[in-house]
């Protein structure tokens, strides 16, 4: 058996350049790092917020309950107020939490790309429904198209740190809801084998689109046996009521064994209290309201507990995707979900910036790092989104992917071992050449412990100028264009493509 040879020992600048340009033996910043070190809420805070949420469910309960759901909730032990609101005893809520799925796999069509959700593992992915795209050629926003969705899907297919892909834009050139849902699903099947997620406008769209997934999976019933798509649903509308269409979609998804991300997206000072503590209590109660629905219909079904706090600028009423408040609230939401032992979903990188500029970088870095450090299992909206979720950007995707590597490196922490403490290496350097450059201890750390960005610029000013004085936006645009030129996947076999086009209205 041939053994891999160690690189020749070299010293000085040439050795450092050679090692930096080589492919690392391991990924020093791999997805799935351990979060949970940042805890914005104390144990007493967590208990107080939870107790308030449970009290809201027990005394105020949920309104606008569809008849089918009402029957299932009452049958599971819920109660009913005189005004028709359904209420949930504390013990019923606690029992539902106990029965909930704590960990599950989000499958990719390529099993090697599947991810395990829950515990303290952190994964960045996408979300959103941007109606505008930052044009790669003009750098001006325009309505998003179906072609954009295909392009975004194949762009992210090569980005290591986008662990799952949800449609990030709405094809505004496809007005019919069924055509939109079908062609969104088709774009996901054609352009990536990662775990993916989509939305269904109406419940009656679920069954036919599952047939499309079956074709991609290789036969009838194959998708439900191993679902590689999860559904994004908002069955609760703030404040404290169910949405009938989304509830119907949830029932249809459960019938086909589709994992669900039940998203609560209250807005501070508008559909939830302006105080951060009150907001967290209501948001938790509402997301527990989704869990009560899942538990009544199909206990233990895979559900991402997605209590997403959204902040409103109270001066204008506009949604604010960046800032200290949303940074704190999403981290606290992740901490609450993890404290309950539930797979957590939060949102980050929802910058308000329209350009790829300093505001963009500051808001994305701050919000995504905090969500990861707090242990958000799935961090939605974290790749490619701009303009307070109204926009999506190709350049943002590649920049965010590199930002996530830095975050994963931070999550990895400091490995304290006898070798890493470096007593012998320190002695050797001090008593020898007086520096650590070229030492074997340094070589080993370069490959194992450091992430080297390819887009962030670390050149001295003169070199930067000689290379054209490019900013990050320009470098990212070049990278995105190159990926879209070179990566032209087609993950559907010819017979699968033909079957889908025979049975469904595929546009383009």
């Amino acid at each position: 058996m041939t053994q891999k040879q160690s690189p020749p020992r070299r010293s000085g600048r040439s050795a450092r350049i050679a090692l930096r340009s080589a492919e690392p033996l391991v990924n020093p910043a791999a997805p799935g790092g351990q979060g949970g070190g940042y805890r914005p809420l104390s144990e007493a805070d967590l208990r107080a917020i939870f107790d308030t949420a449970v009290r809201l469910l027990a005394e105020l309960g949920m309104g606008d309950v569809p008849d089918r759901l009402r029957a299932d909730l009452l049958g599971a032990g819920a109660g009913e107020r005189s005004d028709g609101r359904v209420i949930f005893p504390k013990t019923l809520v606690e029992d539902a939490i106990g029965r909930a799925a704590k960990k599950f796999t989000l499958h990719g069509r390529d099993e090697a790309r599947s991810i395990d959700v829950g515990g303290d593992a952190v994964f960045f992915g996408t979300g959103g429904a941007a109606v505008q795209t930052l044009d790669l050629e003009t750098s001006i926003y325009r309505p998003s198209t179906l072609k954009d969705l295909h392009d975004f899907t194949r762009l992210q297919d090569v980005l290591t740190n986008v662990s799952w892909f949800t449609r990030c834009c709405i094809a505004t050139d496809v007005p019919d809801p069924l055509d939109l849902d079908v062609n969104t699903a088709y774009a996901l099947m054609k352009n990536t084998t990662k775990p993916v997620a989509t939305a269904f406008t109406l419940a009656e769209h679920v069954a036919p689109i599952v047939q499309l997934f079956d074709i991609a999976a290789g036969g009838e019933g194959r998708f439900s046996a191993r679902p590689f798509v999860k559904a994004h649903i908002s069955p609760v509308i703030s404040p404290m009521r169910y949405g009938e269409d989304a509830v119907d979609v949830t029932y249809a998804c459960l019938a086909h064994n589709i994992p669900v991300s039940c998203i609560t997206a209250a807005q501070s000072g508008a559909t939830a209290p302006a105080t951060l503590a009150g907001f967290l209590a209501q948001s938790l109660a509402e997301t527990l309201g989704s869990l009560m629905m899942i538990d009544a219909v199909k206990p233990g079904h895979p559900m991402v507990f997605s209590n997403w706090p959204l902040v409103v600028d109270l001066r204008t009423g506009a949604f604010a995707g960046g800032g200290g408040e949303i940074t704190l609230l999403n981290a606290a939401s992740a901490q609450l979900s993890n404290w309950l032992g539930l797979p957590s979903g939060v949102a980050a990188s929802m910058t308000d910036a329209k350009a790829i500029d300093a505001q963009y970088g500051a808001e994305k870095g701050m919000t995504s790092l905090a969500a990861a450090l707090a242990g958000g299992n799935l961090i939605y909206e974290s790749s490619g989104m701009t303009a307070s979720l109204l926009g999506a950007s190709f350049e943002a995707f590649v920049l965010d992917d590199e930002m996530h590597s830095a975050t994963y490196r931070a999550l990895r922490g400091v490995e304290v071992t006898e070798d890493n403490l470096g007593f012998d290496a320190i002695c050797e350097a001090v008593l020898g050449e007086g520096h650590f450059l070229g030492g074997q201890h340094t070589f080993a750390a370069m490959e194992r412990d450091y992430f080297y960005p390819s887009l962030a610029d670390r050149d001295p000013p003169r070199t930067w100028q000689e290379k054209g004085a490019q900013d990050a936006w320009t470098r990212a645009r070049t990278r995105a264009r190159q990926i879209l030129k070179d990566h032209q996947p087609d993950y559907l076999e010819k017979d699968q493509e033909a079957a889908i086009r025979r049975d469904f209205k595929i546009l383009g």
Side-chain angles (χ1 to χ4, degrees):
M1 179 177 177
T2 302
Q3 292 186 344
K4 186 172 182 178
Q5 299 296 313
S6 300
R9 182 184 177 95
R10 289 184 279 183
S11 61
R13 179 174 173 80
S14 62
R16 298 196 303 275
I17 292 174
L19 279 174
R20 193 169 85 177
S21 62
E23 189 71 23
L25 298 177
V26 297
N27 184 350
Q34 179 179 342
Y38 173 41
R39 299 180 177 89
L41 300 171
S42 69
E43 183 69 24
D45 294 337
L46 292 164
R47 175 56 62 183
I49 291 169
F50 176 71
D51 287 346
T52 302
V54 170
R55 184 182 174 193
L56 284 169
L57 288 172
E59 298 182 19
L60 177 63
M62 301 293 296
D64 293 352
V65 185
D67 291 341
R68 180 184 183 185
L69 178 58
R70 181 184 301 274
D72 284 336
L73 292 173
L74 295 179
E80 194 170 14
R81 291 181 11 148
S82 59
D83 59 3
R85 298 182 68 89
V86 172
I87 53 178
F88 306 91
K90 181 178 181 179
T91 55
L92 189 66
V93 175
E94 292 175 335
D95 288 346
I97 293 171
R99 285 188 291 265
K102 304 303 188 293
K103 290 185 179 182
F104 55 87
T105 298
L106 286 182
H107 295 284
R109 282 162 63 210
D110 177 354
E111 188 58 53
R113 307 180 95 173
S114 300
I115 59 175
D116 294 325
V117 182
D120 54 18
V122 174
F123 295 98
F124 288 103
T126 67
V131 294
Q132 298 181 60
T133 291
L134 185 60
D135 192 275
L136 196 54
E137 304 304 324
T138 66
S139 299
I140 298 297
Y141 286 93
R142 54 166 175 73
S144 299
T145 66
L146 183 59
K147 181 180 183 303
D148 290 326
L149 178 59
H150 279 269
D151 288 346
F152 280 124
T153 310
R154 62 190 179 91
L155 174 70
Q156 64 78 40
D157 188 56
V158 305
L159 301 180
T160 301
N161 299 313
V162 180
S163 294
W164 83 94
F165 180 69
T166 304
R167 60 100 203 261
C168 58
C169 69
I170 296 293
T172 62
D173 55 342
V174 184
D176 180 78
L178 178 58
D179 290 345
L180 177 62
D181 287 355
V182 165
N183 281 273
T184 297
Y186 170 74
L188 300 178
M189 297 300 97
K190 186 176 181 65
N191 297 299
T192 190
T193 56
K194 290 182 181 181
V196 292
T198 192
F200 301 96
T201 307
L202 297 172
E204 51 263 37
H205 295 181
V206 175
I209 291 175
V210 166
Q211 294 175 10
L212 187 156
F213 294 152
D214 273 341
I215 294 172
E220 184 177 354
R222 297 285 293 274
F223 169 73
S224 293
R226 183 183 169 277
F228 44 77
V229 181
K230 65 181 172 71
H232 284 195
I233 315 173
S234 296
V236 170
I237 300 172
S238 302
M240 302 291 291
R241 57 194 177 94
Y242 289 110
E244 185 168 9
D245 286 346
V247 167
D248 289 342
V249 169
T250 305
Y251 272 94
C253 288
L254 299 188
H256 291 280
N257 202 34
I258 302 175
V260 294
S261 183
C262 289
I263 299 167
T264 300
Q267 300 182 54
S268 63
T271 60
T275 58
L276 304 193
F279 184 104
L280 289 168
Q282 180 186 308
S283 179
L284 179 59
E286 290 172 332
T287 316
L288 285 169
S290 290
L291 179 62
M292 301 311 296
M293 173 184 60
I294 300 297
D295 184 68
V297 178
K298 192 178 179 182
H301 183 81
M303 168 184 160
V304 182
F305 196 83
S306 300
N307 45 333
W308 296 5
L310 301 183
V311 169
V312 168
D313 187 319
L314 295 175
R315 301 168 302 177
T316 64
F319 165 59
E325 299 81 17
I326 202 161
T327 300
L328 177 61
L329 281 170
N330 275 284
S333 283
Q335 185 187 1
L336 276 165
S337 301
N338 295 348
W339 180 69
L340 294 172
L342 300 171
S344 56
V346 292
S349 285
M350 303 179 290
T351 179
D352 302 313
K354 272 61 69 178
I356 311 299
D357 58 10
Q359 178 187 350
Y360 165 98
E363 292 179 349
K364 279 181 171 274
M366 175 173 56
T367 58
S368 62
L369 179 61
L373 290 174
N377 295 142
L378 299 183
I379 303 180
Y380 296 84
E381 319 288 2
S382 60
S383 303
M385 305 309 294
T386 61
S388 308
L389 299 184
L390 291 174
S393 161
F394 298 99
E395 299 98 322
F397 261 101
V398 295
L399 284 168
D400 293 348
D401 185 65
E402 186 161 285
M403 174 183 69
H404 299 331
S405 286
T407 300
Y408 284 132
R409 184 60 194 93
L411 290 182
R412 183 177 155 195
V414 177
E415 292 96 358
V416 180
T417 66
E418 183 176 355
D419 182 63
N420 285 348
L421 287 169
F423 181 87
D424 292 339
I426 295 169
C427 292
E428 180 182 344
V430 170
L431 299 177
E433 297 181 356
H435 62 76
F436 294 84
L437 300 174
Q440 198 60 41
H441 196 260
T442 300
F443 282 166
M446 285 181 70
E447 293 196 355
R448 183 190 63 234
D449 294 347
Y450 288 82
F451 167 74
Y452 299 97
S454 59
L455 286 171
D457 181 76
R458 292 179 173 179
D459 289 331
R462 176 175 292 182
T463 306
W464 172 71
Q465 290 169 202
E466 290 171 351
K467 291 182 178 179
Q470 293 184 347
D471 59 15
W473 194 346
T474 302
R475 292 192 297 276
R477 183 182 302 118
T478 300
R479 173 71 59 80
R481 285 173 174 166
Q482 193 64 49
I483 293 173
L484 290 172
K485 176 184 176 183
D486 295 342
H487 187 59
Q488 302 282 343
D490 189 348
Y491 290 114
L492 293 170
E493 302 291 340
K494 288 184 178 180
D495 59 334
Q496 293 173 330
E497 178 82 29
I500 290 173
R501 288 187 174 272
R502 181 193 66 223
D503 296 342
F504 298 93
K505 183 180 178 182
I506 301 302
L507 304 173

